[in-house]
Amino acid sequence: MARDIGVGGHSDFHAKDYHDPPPAPLIDAEELTKWSFYRAIIAEFIATLLFLYITVLTVIGYKSQTDPNLNTDQCGGVGILGIAWAFGGMIFVLVYCTAGISGGHINPAVTFGLLLARKVSLVRAILYMVAQCLGAICGCGLVKAFQKAYYNRYGGGANELADSYSTGTGLGAEIIGTFVLVYTVFSATDPKRNARDSHVPVLAPLPIGFAVLMVHLATIPVTGTGINPARSFGAAVIYNQDKAWDDQWIFWIGPFIGAAIASFYHQFVLRASATKALGSFRSSSAI
């Protein structure tokens, strides 16, 4: 039953009932028989394609506008701030568009974190990651098809560790950056928070997009900012240069570690899932 909450005994709003959703089954073969499942996979593919197309074009456009060999204005272009806005803004738009269809993951690290928290099944997680990687490859492929000369000249938007930073620094940047993103995803979509703060409208894609924006501002000089294995993989496949492949492991291991830490922190520290489960077990045993 919804409870009335007010000041001085007056009811201002009705809080929503909160029900902790049951964990998703690890293997859910029934999903394979539903059109909604395949529609979600298609949504992840198209969203990641659009994400890479817009963001890589932004990166290449900025580099071409500030190329010293072309006597361009070194203060021209969108700058690092503009690139960060492109990534964060596209995530905001695409999560908003696809949240009701696929959950708006658009990132294997996000999918991995939600899998560890039992928010999605293993079958859905694997097929989401495949769709995301294929979408990223196709998105970068479109950029190269339209602007091949610029694409090859300006690095194809591929993630690479900057020469002035060590491997450990790059890996740490990816771990912490992905932690910020996945932690924000968990917090923004927490059903308990939505029920408790139902009187405060919260648009979940907004803080997620801002998390991507802020992480890019911090880590573009270090790794170009991956925090999304599909984004890094798609660019590396189409650009296909040794440096991008040599550093590729950083952009998979780092985000997956960051996502795992964020999942553990949110589920077992902030939500105290293990403690609740133990308390429930003890209560059942006492009856």
Side-chain angles (χ1 to χ4, degrees):
M1 180 181 296
R3 57 189 178 89
D4 295 335
I5 300 179
V7 178
H10 297 289
S11 298
D12 294 327
F13 69 95
H14 294 281
K16 295 179 181 178
D17 288 335
Y18 166 66
H19 300 286
D20 212 0
L26 188 61
I27 306 295
D28 188 2
E30 186 178 350
E31 285 186 315
L32 298 174
T33 65
K34 298 179 180 179
W35 163 242
S36 60
F37 176 63
Y38 296 100
R39 183 180 61 187
I41 293 172
I42 294 171
E44 287 292 309
F45 170 81
I46 295 298
T48 314
L49 183 155
L50 295 174
F51 177 58
L52 267 293
Y53 176 74
I54 295 298
T55 54
V56 170
L57 269 180
T58 303
V59 171
I60 293 174
Y62 165 67
K63 289 185 176 180
S64 67
Q65 291 170 328
T66 57
D67 187 348
N69 296 322
L70 300 178
N71 296 319
T72 54
D73 181 6
Q74 294 303 296
C75 296
V78 297
I80 290 180
L81 179 59
I83 293 173
W85 269 109
F87 279 89
M90 279 304 293
I91 286 296
F92 167 71
V93 170
L94 293 170
V95 171
Y96 180 83
C97 291
T98 60
I101 301 172
S102 66
H105 297 193
I106 321 173
N107 185 337
V110 171
T111 301
F112 180 67
L114 294 173
L115 171 65
L116 294 180
R118 301 292 299 277
K119 304 292 185 181
V120 296
S121 69
L122 178 62
V123 173
R124 182 177 291 265
I126 291 174
L127 291 181
Y128 269 23
M129 291 181 191
V130 171
Q132 291 156 359
C133 289
L134 291 176
I137 292 171
C138 292
C140 292
L142 283 177
V143 177
K144 185 173 183 178
F146 293 150
Q147 299 191 17
K148 185 174 182 179
Y150 280 174
Y151 187 90
N152 293 328
R153 184 185 306 166
Y154 298 115
N159 287 123
E160 297 176 356
L161 179 65
D163 294 335
S164 56
Y165 291 95
S166 67
T167 300
T169 300
L171 184 62
E174 289 297 307
I175 292 173
I176 296 172
T178 310
F179 173 87
V180 172
L181 170 59
V182 178
Y183 173 43
T184 304
V185 169
F186 274 108
S187 298
T189 60
D190 188 344
K192 183 175 183 179
R193 177 176 185 158
N194 292 337
R196 182 190 64 210
D197 300 333
S198 57
H199 61 294
V200 181
V202 176
L203 185 62
L206 187 59
I208 296 172
F210 264 102
V212 173
L213 164 65
M214 302 312 292
V215 171
H216 274 76
L217 287 176
T219 60
I220 282 177
V222 183
T223 61
T225 309
I227 69 171
N228 183 334
R231 174 260 185 276
S232 302
F233 180 71
V237 168
I238 300 301
Y239 185 52
N240 197 28
Q241 297 295 320
D242 290 343
K243 175 63 172 172
W245 284 119
D246 290 343
D247 296 338
Q248 185 66 198
W249 68 273
I250 295 174
F251 303 105
W252 283 87
I253 300 299
F256 275 22
I257 292 175
I261 296 172
S263 178
F264 177 85
Y265 175 63
H266 186 268
Q267 293 296 106
F268 295 102
V269 178
L270 298 186
R271 295 294 306 279
S273 296
T275 304
K276 291 178 182 177
L278 180 61
S280 176
F281 173 77
R282 287 175 174 173
S283 298
S284 300
S285 300
I287 294 176

